[in-house]
Amino acid sequence: MAAKSRRRTKALPSRIIKLIFKLIIYFLLITIAWVGLLAFLPPPITATMIMDDNSITKDWEPLEAISPNLARAVIAAEDSKFCSHDGFDREAIRSAIKRNAQGGRIRGGSTISQQTAKNVFLWQGGGYFRKGLEAYFTFLIEKIWGKKRIMEVYLNVAETGIGTYGAQAGAQRYYKKDASELTKIEAARIAAALPLPKKRAVTGASGFTRRYGNTISARINVVKRQGLDACVYK
């Protein structure tokens, strides 16, 4: 009996290791299949939408039906290196860490790819565990989706106002027009509000949001001229 007990005790760590290994394999298979599926299908809903206390308005549109002004505006505002990085802007991350260490308002260094991964597959908020998952999903969508699909999904799931998600819903809400018809200044003001869509006004914007929107509008031409959108509009 004692010998059997010792054998069971020795076998326990082996079983735990095998279980952990299986769980990792299942996790990889499920998440890769999930990302692969959404390379072709619109994400039906996100955790942010589920947790939103307001009634949800969203309307998926293919990238071709969204004004290039908006894609260029978010590149100008959020991620000027979108077409050249691998999903992570390491310089921006280092700069954010340095600023945060000095105190004051917390700043992030997230790219459009990281924001898309978070919006589609995860939840809002911080924590090292969620950031680790964000990095993992960012890697997957960069490898499986590519830049054009990432931009298309981002413009369709980003929160553009209270209970409003995506370019089409935002364009209808603020300008009573389709996303394909957004002018530079209209696209720029939507992009200016994206970091804080519940607090920054798009129409009737004043103060910082208005000035920032004007700056983004001016940068749209720079994005196009310098080919910073080349991975989206070839």
Side-chain angles (χ1 to χ4, degrees), residues 37-45 58 60-61 120 149 153 156-157:
L37 188 64
L38 294 186
F40 306 100
L41 300 176
I45 198 165
K58 63 185 182 72
W60 179 275
E61 291 288 345
V120 174
R149 178 61 174 176
V153 174
N156 275 284
V157 301

Side-chain angles (χ1 to χ4, degrees), residues 47-48 51 117-119 121-126 129-130 133-134:
T48 304
M51 298 175 69
K118 177 184 67 176
N119 289 341
F121 300 101
L122 302 170
W123 59 93
Q124 302 297 322
F129 177 70
R130 202 231 62 197
L133 289 175
E134 179 186 299

Side-chain angles (χ1 to χ4, degrees), residues 119-184:
N119 289 341
V120 174
F121 300 101
L122 302 170
W123 59 93
Q124 302 297 322
Y128 291 112
F129 177 70
R130 202 231 62 197
K131 293 297 289 185
L133 289 175
E134 179 186 299
Y136 170 71
F137 279 108
T138 299
F139 172 81
L140 287 186
I141 64 175
E142 282 279 339
K143 297 300 181 183
I144 297 175
W145 290 3
K147 297 290 188 179
K148 188 173 182 178
R149 178 61 174 176
I150 291 172
M151 179 60 74
E152 181 176 55
V153 174
Y154 177 72
L155 293 179
N156 275 284
V157 301
E159 188 177 7
T160 50
I162 298 175
T164 307
Y165 293 85
Q168 179 68 6
Q172 289 288 340
R173 172 175 179 165
Y174 299 118
Y175 302 113
K176 304 298 185 291
K177 60 171 62 176
D178 290 335
S180 61
E181 301 172 339
L182 288 171
T183 66
K184 290 177 183 177

Side-chain angles (χ1 to χ4, degrees), residues 2-233:
K4 288 183 180 180
S5 178
R6 285 195 295 270
R7 283 197 296 270
R8 291 196 192 97
T9 302
K10 290 179 180 179
L12 183 60
S14 177
R15 289 200 296 269
I16 293 174
I17 291 172
K18 288 180 180 178
L19 175 60
I20 292 173
F21 180 76
K22 286 181 179 179
L23 290 175
I24 292 173
I25 295 299
Y26 290 149
F27 173 78
L28 292 175
L29 291 175
I30 290 170
T31 53
I32 291 172
W34 188 10
V35 173
L37 188 64
L38 294 186
F40 306 100
L41 300 176
I45 198 165
T46 67
T48 304
M49 296 176 190
I50 292 172
M51 298 175 69
D52 198 321
D53 294 330
N54 305 283
S55 59
I56 300 302
T57 302
K58 63 185 182 72
D59 189 1
W60 179 275
E61 291 288 345
L63 186 63
E64 293 74 18
I66 300 174
S67 171
N69 287 326
L70 186 56
R72 290 167 182 148
V74 298
I75 289 174
E78 301 282 315
D79 188 1
S80 63
K81 298 178 182 178
F82 176 67
C83 286
S84 59
H85 62 58
D86 60 357
F88 306 93
D89 186 343
R90 290 162 182 78
E91 183 179 349
I93 293 172
R94 286 194 294 269
S95 179
I97 291 173
K98 184 177 179 180
R99 288 196 303 267
N100 294 339
Q102 295 172 352
R105 186 166 64 90
I106 300 297
R107 297 172 181 266
S110 294
T111 62
I112 287 173
S113 301
Q114 288 175 273
Q115 292 176 50
T116 304
K118 177 184 67 176
N119 289 341
V120 174
F121 300 101
L122 302 170
W123 59 93
Q124 302 297 322
Y128 291 112
F129 177 70
R130 202 231 62 197
K131 293 297 289 185
L133 289 175
E134 179 186 299
Y136 170 71
F137 279 108
T138 299
F139 172 81
L140 287 186
I141 64 175
E142 282 279 339
K143 297 300 181 183
I144 297 175
W145 290 3
K147 297 290 188 179
K148 188 173 182 178
R149 178 61 174 176
I150 291 172
M151 179 60 74
E152 181 176 55
V153 174
Y154 177 72
L155 293 179
N156 275 284
V157 301
E159 188 177 7
T160 50
I162 298 175
T164 307
Y165 293 85
Q168 179 68 6
Q172 289 288 340
R173 172 175 179 165
Y174 299 118
Y175 302 113
K176 304 298 185 291
K177 60 171 62 176
D178 290 335
S180 61
E181 301 172 339
L182 288 171
T183 66
K184 290 177 183 177
I185 191 62
E186 290 168 346
R189 288 189 176 156
I190 289 176
L194 278 180
L196 295 169
K198 287 184 172 67
K199 296 181 179 180
R200 293 182 182 177
V202 173
T203 52
S206 60
F208 170 80
T209 305
R210 186 179 184 85
R211 293 193 302 273
Y212 188 33
N214 292 340
T215 300
I216 294 171
S217 179
R219 289 177 182 170
I220 288 175
N221 289 333
V222 176
V223 170
K224 183 178 180 180
R225 185 170 62 250
Q226 295 185 359
L228 301 180
D229 61 346
C231 60
V232 181
Y233 303 109

